mmCIF file with all atom_site columns, all heavy atoms in Angstrom:
data_model
loop_
_atom_site.group_PDB
_atom_site.id
_atom_site.type_symbol
_atom_site.label_atom_id
_atom_site.label_alt_id
_atom_site.label_comp_id
_atom_site.label_asym_id
_atom_site.label_entity_id
_atom_site.label_seq_id
_atom_site.pdbx_PDB_ins_code
_atom_site.Cartn_x
_atom_site.Cartn_y
_atom_site.Cartn_z
_atom_site.occupancy
_atom_site.B_iso_or_equiv
_atom_site.pdbx_formal_charge
_atom_site.auth_seq_id
_atom_site.auth_comp_id
_atom_site.auth_asym_id
_atom_site.auth_atom_id
_atom_site.pdbx_PDB_model_num
ATOM 1  N N   . MET A 1 128 ? -21.918 64.269 77.415 1.00 91.00 ? 128 MET A N   1
ATOM 2  C CA  . MET A 1 128 ? -21.723 63.559 76.155 1.00 91.00 ? 128 MET A CA  1
ATOM 3  C C   . MET A 1 128 ? -20.773 64.313 75.239 1.00 91.00 ? 128 MET A C   1
ATOM 4  O O   . MET A 1 128 ? -19.933 63.707 74.552 1.00 91.00 ? 128 MET A O   1
ATOM 5  C CB  . MET A 1 128 ? -23.075 63.343 75.458 1.00 91.00 ? 128 MET A CB  1
ATOM 6  C CG  . MET A 1 128 ? -23.957 62.323 76.137 1.00 91.00 ? 128 MET A CG  1
ATOM 7  S SD  . MET A 1 128 ? -25.432 61.900 75.169 1.00 91.00 ? 128 MET A SD  1
ATOM 8  C CE  . MET A 1 128 ? -26.266 63.488 75.132 1.00 91.00 ? 128 MET A CE  1
ATOM 9  N N   . ALA A 1 130 ? -18.321 66.259 76.236 1.00 90.00 ? 130 ALA A N   1
ATOM 10 C CA  . ALA A 1 130 ? -16.970 66.075 76.775 1.00 90.00 ? 130 ALA A CA  1
ATOM 11 C C   . ALA A 1 130 ? -16.425 64.701 76.408 1.00 90.00 ? 130 ALA A C   1
ATOM 12 O O   . ALA A 1 130 ? -15.241 64.559 76.083 1.00 90.00 ? 130 ALA A O   1
ATOM 13 C CB  . ALA A 1 130 ? -16.994 66.258 78.292 1.00 90.00 ? 130 ALA A CB  1
ATOM 14 N N   . VAL A 1 193 ? 19.764  50.705 74.740 1.00 78.00 ? 193 VAL A N   1
ATOM 15 C CA  . VAL A 1 193 ? 20.199  52.039 74.300 1.00 78.00 ? 193 VAL A CA  1
ATOM 16 C C   . VAL A 1 193 ? 19.964  52.242 72.804 1.00 78.00 ? 193 VAL A C   1
ATOM 17 O O   . VAL A 1 193 ? 20.298  53.306 72.277 1.00 78.00 ? 193 VAL A O   1
ATOM 18 C CB  . VAL A 1 193 ? 21.692  52.258 74.619 1.00 78.00 ? 193 VAL A CB  1
ATOM 19 C CG1 . VAL A 1 193 ? 21.915  52.256 76.128 1.00 78.00 ? 193 VAL A CG1 1
ATOM 20 C CG2 . VAL A 1 193 ? 22.558  51.198 73.956 1.00 78.00 ? 193 VAL A CG2 1
ATOM 21 N N   . LEU A 1 198 ? 14.301  49.056 70.944 1.00 89.00 ? 198 LEU A N   1
ATOM 22 C CA  . LEU A 1 198 ? 13.299  49.322 71.974 1.00 89.00 ? 198 LEU A CA  1
ATOM 23 C C   . LEU A 1 198 ? 11.895  49.371 71.369 1.00 89.00 ? 198 LEU A C   1
ATOM 24 O O   . LEU A 1 198 ? 10.935  48.831 71.937 1.00 89.00 ? 198 LEU A O   1
ATOM 25 C CB  . LEU A 1 198 ? 13.614  50.628 72.687 1.00 89.00 ? 198 LEU A CB  1
ATOM 26 C CG  . LEU A 1 198 ? 12.666  51.024 73.821 1.00 89.00 ? 198 LEU A CG  1
ATOM 27 C CD1 . LEU A 1 198 ? 12.659  49.966 74.918 1.00 89.00 ? 198 LEU A CD1 1
ATOM 28 C CD2 . LEU A 1 198 ? 13.056  52.391 74.400 1.00 89.00 ? 198 LEU A CD2 1
#
Side-chain angles (χ1 to χ4, degrees):
M128 289 189 297
V193 295
L198 181 60

